[in-house]
Every structure is written in structure tokens, then in C-alpha cells.
């Protein structure tokens, strides 16, 4: 086996591949990519704090929530930056993208900043309405989260108007559907989440014995499951779209992408309804 081709050489050198991806993201949309990388880099001090800080909230370390949000929001910004890079240069330099990037950076900075600050103070960021200040901040968090998810369908509109020539119809459709469903499923489940007094429906109101890594309740319903599926469909569906276009072609690939999107939406809705009924995603 030889390593003469660029792809094989990169596969043999993961660090070179990582630098190549970073360079490409910065070329596609520098400000948004820089914001995503900075937020991901914040996971390092959060991990250090997790290791030395023994304080807990809802049965788990106070630093678990910042870590989850840093990973999720950082990847979200990088995903948007990648898709923006497929637009024509004139559109990328236009007013619509400047507004999208500004809103994305402002909302993500506020969300991550406040969540991390509250963790450092040992206090809850979500559902904390104990006084006027925290009620205001929780309201602003909701506005920020809605703003972030609304960027996805806004970008979908731009990609609909300016279809990238290098993209197949199946992949283009998977990106459009992924961006749109992120708002429909993510913001939809998020609005129900924020309206209550916790993400648990029945069961024990603690994350201590939840699903490993995710923390989802195993004794009752947990609205975060559907929220997670909704927020990350913009990454999952395009990956499946790439698989579909390589496994099939033309109308068959388009049909597969459409079927996957429909099934994904139905599955997310099913999980959401199950949570409302107090049924755990993965029972104990």
C-alpha cells in the first residue's frame, strides 16, 4: 500500500488533516470559524475546573453544563462557517452574511459567557429565576438561544437562492433540510423546555444517575433528548446525505435523503412525546 495520493497522506497524518480542516474553515468564514475555535478551546479550562472543583448541581459537577454547551455551540458555529463557504464570494461578503455572523458571535458569546460564569459561582444558569437579575438573564438566554437556531433557516434561504455548483442535488437537499429542521425541532423543543421548571418529566429530579455523558434521566421523561436531536440535525443529515449520494444517484439519492429527513423528524417527535409522558429514553 502506498501513500502517494493527498487523501492517503492526510489519512496517515491526522494532525495534518486537522490543520487542513482548520485552514479551510478559516478560509470559508474567518470570524465565525474563529469564534467556534475559541469556544471549543474554552473546554480546556472547563475540564481542568471539572477535575479540581468538587461542587455539584443537580447531582453532577457544576462544570458539566459549560462543557456540553461549549462543545455544542462551538461545533454549531463551525458547521455554519463551513456551509457559508459554499456561497458565492459576493454573497459571503454581503450584508446578510455580516448580520448572520454578528448575531451568531454575539448570541454565542453571551450564552457561553453566562453559563460559564454561573458554573464558577456554583449557581444554575437554566431555570434560575430566584430574583429579578436571574429572571432577566434567563429571558436573555432564551432570546440568545432562539437567535442562534434562527440563523440556520436564514442560511438555508441563502443556499436555496445560491445553490453551490459543486454540490449534488441530494447533498444540497440534505443541507437545506438539516438547517431548517434545526430550527423547527431544536427551537420547538427548546421553547417547551424553557417554559417549564426543569427538563425532567416525572422520575427523580437529578442527573446523577442519567445516561452516561449525556446525563438524560433514566427514571422519567427528559425533554433534552429531543432538543439534542433537533439541534444536531444540521450535522447529522448532511453526513447521511453524503452517504446517500455515494450509495445511489439522481432521484434515488434524493428520495433517500427525503425519507431520512422525514424519519428523523418523526423519531424526534416520538421521543419528545415519550418524554412528555414521563417515559425515559433509556430506562434504568
Amino acid at each position: 500500500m502506498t501513500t502517494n495520493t493527498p487523501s492517503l497522506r492526510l489519512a496517515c497524518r491526522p494532525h495534518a488533516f486537522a490543520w487542513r480542516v482548520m485552514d479551510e474553515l478559516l478560509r470559508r468564514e474567518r470570524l465565525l470559524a474563529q469564534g467556534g475555535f475559541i469556544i471549543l478551546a474554552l473546554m480546556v479550562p472547563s475540564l481542568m475546573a471539572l477535575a479540581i472543583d468538587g461542587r455539584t448541581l443537580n447531582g453532577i459537577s457544576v462544570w458539566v453544563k459549560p462543557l456540553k454547551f461549549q462543545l455544542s455551540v462551538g461545533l454549531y458555529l463551525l458547521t455554519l462557517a463551513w456551509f457559508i463557504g459554499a456561497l458565492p464570494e459576493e454573497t459571503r461578503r454581503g450584508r446578510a452574511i455580516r448580520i448572520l455572523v454578528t448575531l451568531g458571535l454575539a448570541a454565542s458569546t453571551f450564552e457561553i459567557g453566562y453559563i460559564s460564569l454561573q458554573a464558577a459561582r456554583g449557581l444554575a444558569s437554566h431555570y434560575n429565576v430566584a430574583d429579578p437579575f436571574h429572571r432577566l438573564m434567563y429571558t436573555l438566554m432564551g432570546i440568545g438561544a432562539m437567535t442562534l437556531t434562527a440563523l440556520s433557516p436564514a442560511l438555508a434561504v441563502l443556499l436555496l437562492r445560491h445553490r453551490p455548483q459543486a454540490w449534488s442535488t441530494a447533498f444540497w437537499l440534505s443541507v437545506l433540510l438539516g438547517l431548517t429542521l434545526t430550527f423547527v425541532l431544536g427551537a420547538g423543543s427548546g421553547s417547551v423546555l424553557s417554559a417549564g421548571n426543569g427538563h425532567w418529566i416525572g422520575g427523580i429530579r437529578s442527573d446523577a444517575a442519567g445516561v452516561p455523558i449525556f446525563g438524560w434521566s433514566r427514571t422519567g421523561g427528559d425533554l433534552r433528548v429531543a432538543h439534542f436531536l433537533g439541534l444536531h440535525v444540521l450535522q447529522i443529515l448532511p453526513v447521511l446525505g453524503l452517504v446517500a449520494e455515494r450509495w445511489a444517484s439522481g432521484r434515488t439519492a434524493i428520495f433517500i435523503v427525503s425519507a431520512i429527513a422525514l424519519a428523523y423528524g418523526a423519531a424526534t417527535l416520538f421521543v419528545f412525546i415519550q418524554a412528555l409522558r414521563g417515559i425515559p429514553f433509556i430506562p434504568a
Side-chain angles (χ1 to χ4, degrees):
M1 179 177 178
T2 63
T3 58
N4 292 328
T5 65
S7 59
L8 286 176
R9 287 198 297 270
L10 285 173
C12 294
R13 295 184 296 164
H15 63 284
F17 176 75
W19 281 112
R20 179 81 172 267
V21 171
M22 290 176 64
D23 287 342
E24 180 65 16
L25 280 164
L26 291 170
R27 183 190 68 80
R28 285 170 172 259
E29 203 338 280
R30 178 168 293 274
L31 288 177
L32 213 56
Q34 287 175 337
F37 287 134
I38 290 172
I39 290 174
L40 289 179
L42 290 176
M43 294 180 67
V44 175
S46 293
L47 282 169
M48 294 173 62
L50 177 68
I52 63 177
D53 189 348
R55 293 175 299 166
T56 62
L57 191 65
N58 296 329
I60 58 175
S61 171
V62 295
W63 293 102
V64 169
K65 184 179 288 291
L67 277 167
K68 288 182 178 179
F69 274 79
Q70 287 158 5
L71 178 59
S72 180
V73 174
L75 289 178
Y76 180 73
L77 294 184
L78 294 180
T79 303
L80 293 183
W82 188 273
F83 292 150
I84 287 173
L87 292 168
E89 183 176 356
E90 182 181 353
T91 304
R92 295 202 309 269
R93 296 178 180 276
R95 182 173 162 186
I97 291 299
R98 288 200 302 271
I99 293 173
L100 188 150
V101 170
T102 301
L103 289 175
L105 292 175
S108 59
T109 298
F110 172 75
E111 294 281 309
I112 297 301
Y114 181 62
I115 291 170
S116 300
L117 173 64
Q118 288 296 90
R121 299 174 64 199
L123 299 174
S125 52
H126 290 71
Y127 307 109
N128 187 345
V129 291
D131 53 63
F133 170 76
H134 285 100
R135 283 197 294 272
L136 172 63
M137 296 302 285
Y138 188 46
T139 300
L140 292 176
M141 281 186 67
I143 295 172
M146 189 64 70
T147 299
L148 275 176
T149 52
L151 300 181
S152 291
L155 181 54
V157 171
L158 292 174
L159 287 167
L160 181 63
R161 293 177 178 174
H162 308 281
R163 174 181 170 177
Q165 295 299 317
W167 289 4
S168 68
T169 303
F171 180 68
W172 179 53
L173 179 63
S174 71
V175 173
L176 294 179
L177 290 174
L179 289 168
T180 303
L181 287 175
T182 294
F183 181 74
V184 174
L185 301 177
S189 58
S191 62
V192 177
L193 258 170
S194 62
N197 61 355
H199 52 261
W200 309 279
I201 306 294
I204 300 172
R205 296 177 67 85
S206 172
D207 295 331
V211 175
I213 299 177
F214 299 100
W216 300 329
S217 175
R218 303 187 66 182
T219 61
D222 197 322
L223 296 172
R224 294 177 300 177
V225 183
H227 192 52
F228 173 87
L229 293 174
L231 290 179
H232 293 286
V233 64
L234 86 162
Q235 289 127 0
I236 295 171
L237 198 55
V239 170
L240 296 177
L242 284 174
V243 174
E245 74 171 6
R246 282 160 175 71
W247 185 76
S249 61
R251 293 183 179 179
T252 302
I254 294 172
F255 173 79
I256 292 173
V257 168
S258 301
I260 290 174
L262 181 62
Y264 192 100
T268 303
L269 180 60
F270 174 77
V271 168
F272 181 69
I273 293 174
Q274 289 290 86
L276 289 176
R277 296 174 60 196
I279 300 174
F281 181 64
I282 301 178

